[in-house]
Amino acid sequence: MPKDKRLRWAVGIALLEWVVVGVLVLAGVEGTLPLVVGVLGLGGVLQFTLLFARWRHQRGPLGQAQAAFMAGDYAAALSMLEQLTAQQTQARTLLGNTYRQLGRLEESAAILHDILQNQPNDPYPRYGLGRTLLVQGNYAEAAEHIRAALNNGGHKPISAELAQAYTFMGDTDRALRTAQRSSRLLQLEPHRALWVNYVLHQFDPNDQRARPTMQRNASGLVYWESEAARFAETPYGVRLKEEIIQMRALLRGAEVDHAMVD
């Protein structure tokens, strides 16, 4: 069952819709079609409201800061966040993540640690802290936090970063198992799909799908290159640059193989 309360309500409404529709159909009620359409329409409106009503609260400074962060304009995001007086968890978490992207790693870790003192089960600051620790080169501790975020309802694709943490700490068994689970997820972003299949290729010589999948997600390499450049002075950035060299070689090899088949 989903942990998000809004999602649980939405699932419940969907089930109730079909129960009502089933009763109407089985009872042979006259004029069933308009009733069915009305029930499904009302249910759809309720589900949309439950799942997306929080957008109303993101049109102010916080929403603008989120948009700037997603666009990669971290300086603008920081400027907006520093003007917010409210100390809500969401704004502070975004501030911690913004500090990381600007290379202010100690400040990032400090604020995310502080949030978790009062919100230990919140997956968002937990994942954010895991990412910051990863960049700092604290791979084992980063893995613990990212794993905890997943266990508390975090976005499943972040398991790609967990596989990365295990890889960098030298735990190839757990890196491979995590990558195998991640590879079964639907709609992985290209950079995560690229990393997951890179791990599979490195640690499972019998996986014949890894290199072709890497090739299909080659556009994700730009993300990792930008990460390596942003954190070039950190242990993470140095290690990531080394892995990118190998990724490029594998992608070039896949292109050559594809051309020979054609």
Side-chain angles (χ1 to χ4, degrees), residues 15 19 24 35 43 45 82 104 108 139 152 162 190 196 211 218 236 260:
L15 293 174
V19 169
L24 290 173
L35 287 172
V45 170
E82 287 181 335
R104 296 164 62 172
S108 173
Y139 304 129
N152 283 285
L162 181 58
V196 163
R211 279 186 71 186
Y236 170 78
M260 291 178 66

Side-chain angles (χ1 to χ4, degrees), residues 73-95:
D73 191 348
Y74 304 118
L78 179 63
S79 178
M80 295 177 207
L81 289 166
E82 287 181 335
Q83 294 177 35
L84 291 177
T85 56
Q87 292 297 302
Q88 67 262 43
T89 299
Q90 192 175 7
R92 297 183 69 216
T93 299
L94 184 58
L95 180 58

Side-chain angles (χ1 to χ4, degrees), residues 29-247:
V29 177
E30 186 175 350
T32 297
L33 182 58
L35 287 172
V36 168
V37 172
V39 168
L40 294 177
L42 178 60
V45 170
L46 288 173
Q47 288 173 302
F48 183 88
T49 302
L50 280 167
L51 292 172
F52 301 108
R54 64 177 181 170
W55 287 2
R56 296 196 306 270
H57 306 296
Q58 297 180 348
R59 293 177 181 172
L62 177 57
Q64 294 171 12
Q66 288 174 322
F69 183 92
M70 295 302 295
D73 191 348
Y74 304 118
L78 179 63
S79 178
M80 295 177 207
L81 289 166
E82 287 181 335
Q83 294 177 35
L84 291 177
T85 56
Q87 292 297 302
Q88 67 262 43
T89 299
Q90 192 175 7
R92 297 183 69 216
T93 299
L94 184 58
L95 180 58
N97 289 332
T98 301
Y99 280 146
R100 179 185 63 250
Q101 297 304 98
L102 290 170
R104 296 164 62 172
L105 301 180
E106 292 186 3
E107 291 169 276
S108 173
I111 192 171
L112 294 168
H113 263 302
D114 186 61
I115 295 168
L116 291 170
Q117 295 302 308
N118 297 316
Q119 307 265 2
N121 296 321
D122 190 326
Y124 300 105
R126 183 70 66 183
Y127 167 64
L129 180 57
R131 284 289 312 279
T132 297
L133 292 166
L134 187 64
V135 172
Q136 290 179 315
N138 298 327
Y139 304 129
E141 192 176 352
E144 290 179 9
H145 285 283
I146 298 172
R147 187 170 60 247
L150 285 165
N151 291 339
N152 283 285
H155 191 45
K156 295 297 183 185
I158 69 175
S159 58
E161 281 91 325
L162 181 58
Q164 186 179 56
Y166 285 144
T167 300
F168 285 6
M169 64 188 280
D171 191 336
T172 57
D173 289 340
R174 283 199 286 185
L176 177 58
R177 290 198 301 271
T178 303
Q180 288 170 334
R181 288 194 298 270
S182 300
S183 69
R184 294 192 287 269
L185 296 173
L186 298 176
Q187 298 180 332
L188 272 181
E189 301 92 332
H191 69 280
R192 284 177 166 141
L194 177 62
W195 180 267
V196 163
N197 284 278
Y198 172 67
V199 172
L200 293 175
H201 182 271
Q202 294 291 90
F203 303 141
D204 183 3
N206 296 318
D207 193 317
Q208 300 299 312
R209 295 176 296 179
R211 279 186 71 186
T213 305
M214 285 182 65
Q215 185 65 32
R216 289 195 298 273
N217 291 279
S219 61
L221 187 62
V222 174
Y223 172 87
W224 296 119
E225 289 173 336
S226 66
E227 285 285 281
R230 179 175 297 112
F231 303 118
E233 303 303 318
T234 69
Y236 170 78
V238 172
R239 175 65 184 272
L240 187 55
K241 185 177 180 180
E242 295 172 356
E243 303 294 347
I244 287 171
I245 292 171
Q246 295 189 57
M247 280 189 192

